[in-house]
Amino acid sequence: MNVTDLKVKPYIKAALEDLNFTELTQIQQEVIPLALKKIDIIGQSQTGSGKTHAFLIPIFESLNEAEQKVQVIITTPTRELAEQIYQVAQHIASFSEAPIAIARYMGGTDKERSLAKLKTQPQIVIGTPGRIKDLAINERALLVHTAKTFVIDEADMTLEAGFLQDIDQIAGTMDKRLQMMVFSATIPVGLKPFLKKYMQAPQHIHISPRQQTAVKIEHILYPTKHRPRIEVLKKVLPALNPYLAVVFANTKKSAADISRELTAAGFKVGEIHGDLDPRKRRQMMNRIRNLEFQYIVATDIAARGIDIEGISHVINFELPADLEFYIHRTGRTARGAFDGVAITLFDTGEEEALLQLEARGISFAYKELDNSGELVDTNTRNRRVSRVKQENEIDKIAKAKVRKPKKVSPGYKKKMKFQMDTIRRQEKRKRRP
C-alpha cells in the first residue's frame, strides 16, 4: 500500500512525505486499519519493521487536538526507546497547525520539573512504566484515567525488566473500554495472564521476518570444549580484531564479570546493562559513540533500542534462553551497505538450540584458532552431527531396555532414570574407538 492511499489527516501525510515514505511496511499495512477501528492488537515483528509508525499513525489520526487531556499512553522498558518514540511523535506533531502536547517521562529525569508542568495535562504520554506509575499513581498528578489508547512497546522486555506490575497498576486506573496495543518480539508465558486480563478479543498480527537474519552476516560457531568461556573469549578476540564488537551476555552479573575480565586483560571495553544509573549510562553511550572502546558488553534488555553505528561483530558469549533474541542480537551488525560477523561460543549441551537455529535457515561456519592464532574452518559440524546421531541412537536403546513398571512405587521415576543413565554410559563406552 502506498502512503498516498492512506486516509489520514493531511499533517500526518506531510510528516511521512518529509521522511520520503512511499510504501507502508507489512506491519503498518496490517496494524493501521485495525487500530483505526479501535480493535485491540498484539503485534509481533522484527526490529526495523516500521512498528513505531504503525501505532503512531492511527494514534494521531484518532487524536482530538482541541482536547487538552491525556488521550494516549505509550510505555517502553528503556529510556532510549522512549526517547526514540518521542522524537518520531514530535516529528509528526510538528506538521500540525494545532499544537499537540507530547510529554516524555523517564527515570533519571527531573521529577519535580515534570510535576510542575502537569498543571496542564499532555495529550500523548511516552515513557518508562516506573516513572509514569509514579506520576499517575503515587503523585496523582498525571491523569491517565482519561486515556483511550494504551500502547505497550517491547512487552517481553518489559516483563523481563520487572515492569509488568507497574503496567498493571497503570492499566487498572484506566477506562475498561480502553484500546490496548501490545508490541513484542516474543509472547512469553508470563505475559499471557496480563494480556487476557486487559485485552478484548485482540487481533494477533505476526509478521515473520523476510529473512531470519541479514544475508550479509557470517554466522560462526566456536566450540569451547568445556573450557571456561571467558578464557576462550580472550583468545578469540585478538583474531577477530573488530572495528566495534558487541559481546552479549544473558544476565547483568555475567555482563559485569565479562567486562571486568576483559578490561583486566587489556581490552578496551565498555558495558551497557541495567545496573548503570542514568548519568553513567549517558556517559557510557557518549564514550561508545566517540569510539573510545573496541568492545561493548551488553545484556539484551540494555541493548534493545540503542542504535550504535559501525558494529562489525556480534559475539554471543552464551546463547540466549529465548532463541528469538539470537536474531535481534545478530541484527545489530551488517547494517546498511556493510557486512558483519556473528560468532557464538557453544558447548555440547547446546546441541538442541543450535539445531533449532539451523532449522530457521541459519547456516553456521565452524571455526577454531590454528597455531598461528588465525580463525580457520574445522570439521566440527561433522563431528557434531555424528555425536547427535549417536546420542539419539543411545537414547533409543536405553528407552527400549528400561520400561515403566506395571505397578509403580514411590521413587520409580528416579530408578528408571538411574537405569537409563547406566545404560547410556555402557553404550558410550562400547562405541569408543
Side-chain angles (χ1 to χ4, degrees), residues 62-104:
S62 301
L63 192 74
N64 184 343
E65 292 87 354
E67 197 169 42
Q68 196 62 50
K69 65 180 183 181
V70 177
Q71 299 176 48
V72 179
I73 305 285
I74 303 170
T75 68
T76 188
T78 69
R79 291 177 285 272
E80 288 79 12
L81 275 170
E83 181 64 29
Q84 285 181 27
I85 295 171
Y86 175 78
Q87 293 300 334
V88 175
Q90 283 285 51
H91 175 261
I92 297 174
S94 68
F95 287 83
S96 171
E97 291 184 6
I100 299 172
I102 306 173
R104 65 191 185 283

Side-chain angles (χ1 to χ4, degrees), residues 8 14 42 53 124 148 168 196 204 210 248 353 385 409 414:
V8 293
I42 299 172
H53 278 95
I124 299 176
K148 299 298 182 184
D168 195 10
K196 187 176 181 180
H204 194 151
R210 291 181 298 277
F248 277 103
V385 170
S409 57
K414 286 185 178 179

Side-chain angles (χ1 to χ4, degrees), residues 212 221 319-320 323 326-327 344 346-364 366 380-392 395:
Q212 285 291 348
L221 288 178
L319 283 167
L323 294 180
Y326 179 89
I327 311 300
T344 300
F346 82 99
D347 217 324
T348 52
E350 295 165 308
E351 303 289 0
E352 182 58 36
L354 295 177
L355 289 171
Q356 288 182 42
L357 288 173
E358 287 172 331
R360 296 185 184 201
I362 297 169
S363 179
F364 290 107
Y366 295 76
T380 305
R381 173 173 174 74
N382 294 334
R383 292 199 301 268
R384 220 193 90 213
V385 170
S386 176
R387 184 170 60 249
V388 171
K389 183 178 179 181
Q390 185 182 99
E391 287 177 356
N392 288 340
D395 276 346

